[in-house]
Amino acid sequence: MAEAAAEEKKEEPKLESCRGWKNPEKFPVIKSEHSLVKKYLTEDIWNKCKDTVTKTAGFTLYKCISCSVVFDNQHVGIYAGDEDCYTDFSAIFDPLIKEYHNFDGAHKANLNVDDLKGNINKDCPVNSTRIRVGRNIAGYGLSPGITKEQRVEVEKLMKAAFDTFEGELKGTYYPLYDMKEEDRKSLVDKHFLFV
């Protein structure tokens, strides 16, 4: 009976920090059988890219695909550690991005609101929306690859930028590591901070 209970309670593998991980010489076993990494990572791509280390965050292809090596439930199975990953490992990122996002070509930044073209039906208006931006500043690692030192630098850079805001944009910066409990509660209650 105890054995059956132990078998049922399958513990999820833990993905520890990959900073000290060494690249395997052999082609890695991809546990996420149905992932896009499994579909697009070939031994030729592996052999071509396995020893490349990105300039910004020191990321490797193995670090990028580690989630699909450790876990068996990844759909995509790859994370860029910094912007260099998209060029250094383009042999796998390009076809994967093309399939996942149905995107073929270079990204074009355009912040002109007049150029936005939508397909929102006027009979069914949008009452609320949230836009999430999960990228970073050029020259710094993305979430999986950013170092503690880079995070501190980014915070200083952003605080300096916030200090230049005027009028309705001016506000108060609340650092997460040193926030007063009453400020935290107020920000959560107003839906500006999520826990």
Side-chain angles (χ1 to χ4, degrees):
M1 196 68 122
E3 289 174 21
E7 281 181 13
E8 280 182 34
K9 187 181 174 186
K10 181 184 172 191
E11 228 178 275
E12 283 290 317
K14 290 188 171 80
L15 183 58
E16 303 297 331
S17 169
C18 58
R19 293 207 187 279
W21 285 11
K22 301 277 190 247
N23 284 351
E25 282 303 313
K26 292 188 205 171
F27 186 72
V29 174
I30 307 297
K31 288 186 182 175
S32 292
E33 288 287 326
H34 303 290
S35 69
L36 294 178
V37 165
K38 179 74 171 184
K39 181 177 181 178
Y40 289 109
L41 183 63
T42 64
E43 288 197 46
D44 286 343
I45 292 172
W46 172 256
N47 289 330
K48 176 183 160 196
C49 299
K50 69 178 180 178
D51 296 321
T52 301
V53 178
T54 63
K55 180 180 172 190
T56 301
F59 236 62
T60 63
L61 179 58
Y62 187 65
K63 289 178 184 179
C64 289
I65 66 166
S66 61
C67 62
S68 61
V69 172
V70 174
F71 300 107
D72 62 5
N73 61 353
Q74 301 297 296
H75 172 67
V76 178
I78 194 167
Y79 292 94
D82 56 37
E83 63 186 303
D84 305 327
C85 291
Y86 295 110
T87 52
D88 291 352
F89 311 125
S90 62
I92 186 165
F93 272 103
D94 287 354
L96 205 143
I97 289 168
K98 181 177 180 181
E99 178 170 335
Y100 186 74
H101 292 290
N102 194 24
F103 176 76
D104 190 15
H107 175 75
K108 296 175 187 89
N110 181 355
L111 300 178
N112 183 353
V113 70
D114 295 329
D115 291 341
L116 288 176
K117 305 291 183 238
N119 60 355
I120 298 170
N121 184 337
K122 291 180 182 176
D123 297 328
C124 184
V126 174
N127 293 319
S128 175
T129 187
R130 179 182 294 171
I131 298 171
R132 179 184 176 272
V133 178
R135 293 295 175 245
N136 207 331
I137 301 167
Y140 294 92
L142 299 170
S143 270
I146 193 167
T147 65
K148 182 177 180 180
E149 293 78 17
Q150 287 178 336
R151 287 181 193 273
V152 170
E153 287 177 34
V154 166
E155 182 183 31
K156 287 178 185 173
L157 185 66
M158 295 310 301
K159 282 169 53 176
F162 299 150
D163 287 342
T164 68
F165 292 175
E166 297 176 355
E168 66 180 24
L169 295 177
K170 189 143 188 82
T172 303
Y173 174 76
Y174 297 95
L176 290 175
Y177 60 86
D178 196 23
M179 189 182 301
K180 295 177 185 163
E181 180 58 26
E182 60 266 18
D183 291 334
R184 188 200 65 78
K185 184 170 179 3
S186 173
L187 292 169
V188 168
D189 290 346
K190 293 175 185 174
H191 301 281
F192 291 129
L193 180 65
F194 303 95
V195 286

